[in-house]
Amino acid sequence: MTASAGWKMALYENRTLASAITAAVSGMLVGYPFDSLKTRMQTHHYPSLLACARRSIAEEGVRGLYRGLVPPLLTASAAKSLSFSVFEQIKLWLRNHDPYINGGSKLGMPNFQRTTVGSVALTAAVSGSISGAVIAALCCPLELVKVQMQLANLMAKGTNGVTNASRTTGQTTLLGENSLTTKAHIRNQRPAPPRWTGSNFSVLREIVRQRGAFGMYYGLHLHIVRDASGTAIYFASYETVKETLRRLTGSDTTGALTHMLAGGTCGVVSWLLIFPIDLVKSTMQSQVLKPKNVQKYASSWHCLRDIYARLGMSGLYRGVSVSLIRAFPIHGLNFVVYEWARAAICRITSRPE
């Protein structure tokens, strides 16, 4: 085998990894500022998304919206490639071990042969849930660090009181003070972030110092619930819409428009369904470095009940506008890039998809 044939074979065998890495990096660079705004709106009160964006940029600049980017950027490719690889492998395993092919249909057993839209959705949901749980267990420490970095400046203000955005004026009130602090005054007297937010590693080190090694997995149960259910919905929605559109057009293949529509739809649907879990996760993780005697919530259930009691169902969707605005284009782009890269690798290596 020549060197050229060797690298082509290696590229083809790892086409899922390569395609997922390409899609992950593209999506992360475009979507991270929106994720940062989402986290801020979930954990602090702003009258609107626009107010949150204006205030964040005025105080920290556009660069501030990319605070904490390095860990997810470095790991997004690994996590995304692992997620897609586990997803594809579980799909293959389910197909090969489907009770349906051994007479299971007579017993009403699930069909994983992907012969119907329903079986496509079921296979994707089961595979996606397992993939999501695996990724959550591996990435929890990085997600925890990301939340601390995104909220560093807001947590600095919290040393003098909780920062809340006035729903009527758009200004910010520092509780415990007697007057509204104007934007100009805040810019002149901007509190410095805690010293441990200087780098991602310093944040991680501070978490371990305060809470021990297991502190890196603070909020893991919420992370697993969010990612297992969210990834199941995500892949099931994508493959269902993709397969439905393919059947409607009567084509054997799908194009970029189909991938964009299916990807955008799965992003919106999954966020709508799992957003309350994500909000509670972000809120709980934001207090990991606070002393226990000043932590607002003792448990995730306490957090959920309190938010619902004070703000109703709308409170559980605080910040959802950011996620929905970015969901369709970002996740649409994600699958367009992924499917394009996968097809390109097959063309380059002259092998079937």
Side-chain angles (χ1 to χ4, degrees):
M1 181 182 292
T2 64
S4 175
W7 74 259
K8 285 185 178 181
M9 175 64 74
L11 180 61
Y12 179 76
E13 291 178 346
N14 294 281
R15 62 191 181 280
T16 298
L17 296 176
S19 303
I21 289 172
T22 304
V25 173
S26 301
M28 183 63 65
L29 292 175
V30 174
Y32 192 82
F34 294 96
D35 184 70
S36 186
L37 290 173
K38 179 209 66 166
T39 303
R40 293 161 189 250
M41 291 191 70
Q42 285 180 328
T43 56
H44 294 73
H45 294 283
Y46 291 91
S48 67
L49 168 61
L50 185 59
C52 178
R54 283 177 173 173
R55 185 169 187 80
S56 299
I57 294 174
E59 294 184 356
E60 305 174 45
V62 174
R63 185 177 180 181
L65 297 180
Y66 281 92
R67 180 184 291 275
L69 171 66
V70 176
L73 182 61
L74 293 178
T75 60
S77 55
K80 182 78 73 175
S81 60
L82 179 60
S83 175
F84 275 78
S85 296
V86 171
F87 174 72
E88 294 292 344
Q89 289 299 317
I90 295 296
K91 277 202 309 183
L92 181 61
W93 188 90
L94 289 173
R95 190 179 307 166
N96 294 334
H97 295 79
D98 189 353
Y100 183 84
I101 62 179
N102 295 315
S105 59
K106 299 177 182 179
L107 304 176
M109 299 295 286
N111 171 10
F112 295 116
Q113 295 308 301
R114 297 171 60 82
T115 54
T116 65
V117 174
S119 67
V120 167
L122 177 63
T123 305
V126 174
S127 304
S129 64
I130 296 173
S131 173
V134 170
I135 297 304
L138 294 175
C139 295
C140 185
L142 301 169
E143 180 89 0
L144 187 60
V145 169
K146 184 193 75 172
V147 170
Q148 308 311 306
M149 292 295 289
Q150 288 177 334
L151 300 175
N153 283 280
L154 293 175
M155 288 191 293
K157 296 174 183 178
T159 58
N160 294 324
V162 181
T163 306
N164 294 286
S166 168
R167 296 181 182 274
T168 56
T169 65
Q171 294 175 301
T172 298
T173 305
L174 296 181
L175 301 183
E177 297 185 7
N178 297 322
S179 61
L180 288 174
T181 308
T182 64
K183 294 179 181 179
H185 183 67
I186 288 177
R187 282 196 294 268
N188 293 332
Q189 298 188 9
R190 188 182 307 164
R195 284 178 296 177
W196 45 260
T197 60
S199 69
N200 296 288
F201 179 74
S202 62
V203 172
L204 186 61
R205 183 173 55 191
E206 184 67 15
I207 292 173
V208 173
R209 187 186 72 80
Q210 290 193 25
R211 291 185 171 268
F214 287 108
M216 295 187 295
Y217 289 90
Y218 187 86
L220 174 62
H221 62 297
L222 291 169
H223 202 161
I224 290 178
V225 171
R226 184 199 70 173
D227 283 10
S229 58
T231 308
I233 296 167
Y234 186 73
F235 279 118
S237 300
Y238 175 73
E239 298 231 333
T240 299
V241 174
K242 178 183 172 183
E243 180 65 12
T244 300
L245 291 175
R246 185 191 69 78
R247 293 183 179 223
L248 288 175
T249 58
S251 174
D252 293 331
T253 60
T254 51
L257 180 58
T258 296
H259 302 152
M260 173 62 77
L261 291 174
T265 300
C266 77
V268 171
V269 170
S270 59
W271 270 118
L272 278 175
L273 295 177
I274 69 165
F275 194 83
I277 302 173
D278 184 66
L279 182 140
V280 173
K281 181 197 73 70
S282 295
T283 303
M284 292 298 297
Q285 289 186 326
S286 70
Q287 62 179 20
V288 64
L289 290 176
K290 293 181 180 179
K292 290 187 177 181
N293 62 333
V294 299
Q295 287 183 2
K296 186 173 183 179
Y297 300 113
S299 68
S300 54
W301 180 241
H302 176 208
C303 176
L304 179 65
R305 285 187 304 170
D306 178 70
I307 294 174
Y308 182 78
R310 289 187 296 106
L311 302 172
M313 184 59 70
S314 62
L316 296 177
Y317 281 89
R318 188 173 68 232
V320 72
S321 58
V322 189
S323 294
L324 295 183
I325 287 173
R326 74 165 187 152
F328 197 95
I330 294 300
H331 292 287
L333 172 66
N334 179 70
F335 278 103
V336 167
V337 173
Y338 173 77
E339 299 279 12
W340 169 83
R342 192 179 175 91
I345 289 173
C346 292
R347 287 196 303 271
I348 292 172
T349 58
S350 302
R351 292 178 177 274
E353 293 188 38

